[in-house]
Structures are given as structure tokens and as C-alpha cells.
Amino acid sequence: VIFVYYLSREVLENAQEHKMARIAPYLSALTMGLSPWHYMFSRAGFEASAAIFFLILGTYLFFLSLRKKSSYYFCGFVASFVLSLYSYNSARIVAPIIFLVLIVTYWRRIKKINFVLGLVLGFIISLPFLIFVLSPEGFVRAKQVSIFYQQSDISLPTQFIVNYWKNISPTIFHFRPMVPFKKT
């Protein structure tokens, strides 16, 4: 929750003349702190909470590194994103996308030496992860959930749409009509 506050404050650093820019970090932290999803998963210590923590921390460190032009903060950004890969399967998809979007969007403002140092550090930290993911054991989960390993007679794009709909369909919640309790 605290890093949501810091991230919001850092992103809105140049907009401090607006009243909402001064209130937004507090509202962001409050929203995160009161979010039932975040509260429920963080209290039990699920991996999703660790992934969110590392992604938020990394994004905060990225914007801090841009403002302060510091290689320490940039390396912290890369390390946080790599650590999120170790924490939760979904982060293995989301973290590289966010990483690339941040790098491409702010490429002109990134000091190139920081980028090289960050890549070297990220490679070193991710080496055990890469060795595991590229091993046969690492492919077990991918074979269970990947669209490329499903036996189907329909085309890949159609299979993607079908699978995507299964995950966002309202029927996934198994809505049932409310039945009053019977007295026993």
C-alpha cells in the first residue's frame, strides 16, 4: 500500500499545481488498502500479493530512476521485475510487457549505461529462473495451459477467443438462483 502511494506521488510529481494531483496518492493508497482483493490475498500471503508488490515497487523505482538519473534505482527496477517472475505465474506474462512498455515509452530519458547495467543485473538474477523455465520440468505447466498444446480442430485465433471467453464469461461464477433455506 505504501508503494502505491509513492508510485502515485512520483508519477504525478510534475502535476503538483493541480489539487487532485496532491490528493491522488492518498486516494490510491486508500483504495489499495481497502480493496477486498488485495486485503484477502495479502492477509493469507498468496503469491499474487508478492507479484503485485514487486511490480509496483519496480515501477516506482523506474520513475524514480528517471527523475534522479540513478543507476541504483534503475537496477532496483530491473531486480524487482525479475523477482516478480519468481513469485507468480501471471507475472511471467505481465512483467515483461510492462517492462517493455516502460522502456520503449521512456527510452530517450533512460541513461544508456543504466540500461546496460540493469540488463546485466537482470540476466544474473534471472539465470536460475531461465534454466528452470527452459527445462522439461518447466514446460509442464505451459503444456497444461498453453493454447499451442491443446488438441483442437479449430484455428488458433478461434481457439484463443473461445478460451478467452471462458475466462471472462459470467458463467464462470456459477450464478444460481437464490433458494431459501429449508427449516429442519
Side-chain angles (χ1 to χ4, degrees):
V1 173
I2 192 75
F3 284 112
V4 168
Y5 167 80
Y6 285 127
L7 175 60
S8 299
R9 195 176 74 180
E10 189 65 35
V11 169
L12 297 171
E13 181 72 26
N14 293 332
Q16 287 301 318
E17 66 273 0
H18 299 290
K19 183 178 181 180
M20 198 59 195
R22 286 178 266 147
I23 298 170
Y26 296 104
L27 292 176
S28 300
L30 181 67
T31 302
M32 182 72 154
L34 296 178
S35 165
W37 177 89
H38 176 67
Y39 183 76
M40 180 178 73
F41 283 106
S42 65
R43 295 290 292 160
F46 287 106
E47 300 92 356
S49 297
I52 288 288
F53 169 77
F54 286 122
L55 290 174
I56 291 171
L57 174 63
T59 307
Y60 166 64
L61 291 173
F62 175 78
F63 285 110
L64 200 60
S65 76
L66 290 181
R67 186 167 54 88
K68 296 194 175 203
K69 304 204 183 317
S70 167
S71 59
Y72 294 113
Y73 292 125
F74 194 85
C75 287
F77 150 65
V78 173
S80 291
F81 269 65
V82 171
L83 290 174
S84 76
L85 301 176
Y86 285 99
S87 63
Y88 193 57
N89 283 331
S90 295
R92 295 174 185 177
I93 296 169
V94 174
I97 293 170
I98 296 172
F99 184 88
L100 286 174
V101 167
L102 289 173
I103 295 298
V104 169
T105 304
Y106 294 96
W107 179 250
R108 292 178 189 236
R109 292 182 55 193
I110 297 171
K111 288 178 66 176
K112 303 316 174 233
I113 187 69
N114 292 352
F115 181 73
V116 172
L117 288 172
L119 283 185
V120 170
L121 176 68
F123 179 75
I124 291 169
I125 295 173
S126 66
L127 201 54
F129 172 76
L130 292 172
I131 291 170
F132 172 73
V133 166
L134 298 175
S135 72
E137 294 84 13
F139 276 107
V140 170
R141 178 72 175 148
K143 288 180 181 177
Q144 292 173 346
V145 298
S146 176
I147 193 171
F148 300 110
Y149 295 102
Q150 292 181 357
Q151 298 296 324
S152 178
D153 295 333
I154 57 178
S155 69
L156 219 56
T158 307
Q159 186 66 49
F160 176 80
I161 292 168
V162 167
N163 289 358
Y164 191 77
W165 177 249
K166 284 180 186 175
N167 284 289
I168 64 169
S169 169
T171 60
I172 197 168
F173 298 112
H174 304 289
F175 287 117
R176 295 184 184 107
M178 293 199 48
V179 178
F181 291 107
K182 293 181 182 179
K183 293 182 181 179
T184 56

